[in-house]
Amino acid sequence: MTRSRAHDPNVCGVTAAIAVIDGKWKTALLWTLETGPRRPGEMRRMLPGLTEKVLTQALREMEEDGLVLREVHDVRPLKTVYSLTGFGRDLCAALAPLSDWGHRRLDGMAARVPVETAVRQDM
């Protein structure tokens, strides 16, 4: 999905919302920021595998979309802190039911025995 769809007034609202959270790390970053402001290094430690470059790009896009606020404190060394905006908190609240659905789906999948396994056990 292209970033332009996040700003296109002629697309479905769900499509516009998904365009804002599209990518491997944005929902995880929202999750880390739900509990309060975080520094970039702290977010990287919480999300193993997230590179500094990808973190910076994702946070810039999220700031552009009005989801996060970037605050730079004028101390040496510079201290940058990210937090959710009201709009970002609204998005987290909207995603909560989807998260619940995803967890129920995963629980259901874990409870089911795959057909191949069930057939092999009968032999």
Side-chain angles (χ1 to χ4, degrees):
M1 188 173 299
T2 63
R3 292 267 319 132
S4 62
R5 296 189 96 175
H7 304 283
D8 185 351
N10 298 314
V11 298
C12 162
V14 173
T15 300
I18 290 173
V20 169
I21 59 170
D22 191 32
K24 181 176 179 179
W25 297 103
K26 287 184 182 176
T27 54
L29 289 168
L30 286 171
W31 172 75
T32 63
L33 291 169
E34 270 188 302
T35 56
R38 303 248 184 235
R39 296 186 65 187
E42 186 179 7
M43 288 185 272
R44 281 192 55 216
R45 284 189 295 277
M46 293 174 76
L47 301 168
L50 175 60
T51 65
E52 187 172 346
K53 177 185 174 185
V54 172
L55 173 64
T56 300
Q57 180 181 353
L59 288 171
R60 282 183 184 158
E61 289 175 4
M62 293 169 74
E63 183 180 16
E64 180 183 315
D65 290 331
L67 303 177
V68 298
L69 176 65
R70 178 178 181 255
E71 294 179 79
V72 179
H73 300 273
D74 194 19
V75 295
R76 295 288 177 230
L78 285 177
K79 178 181 174 183
T80 304
V81 178
Y82 289 88
S83 58
L84 288 177
T85 63
F87 197 53
R89 285 189 297 279
D90 289 347
L91 178 59
C92 288
L95 290 173
L98 183 59
S99 175
D100 293 342
W101 179 89
H103 285 289
R104 287 193 312 274
R105 178 181 173 271
L106 291 172
D107 291 345
M109 289 172 56
R112 276 188 249 138
V113 177
V115 174
E116 288 180 16
T117 305
V119 171
R120 285 189 197 132
Q121 289 175 351
D122 290 341
M123 294 180 156

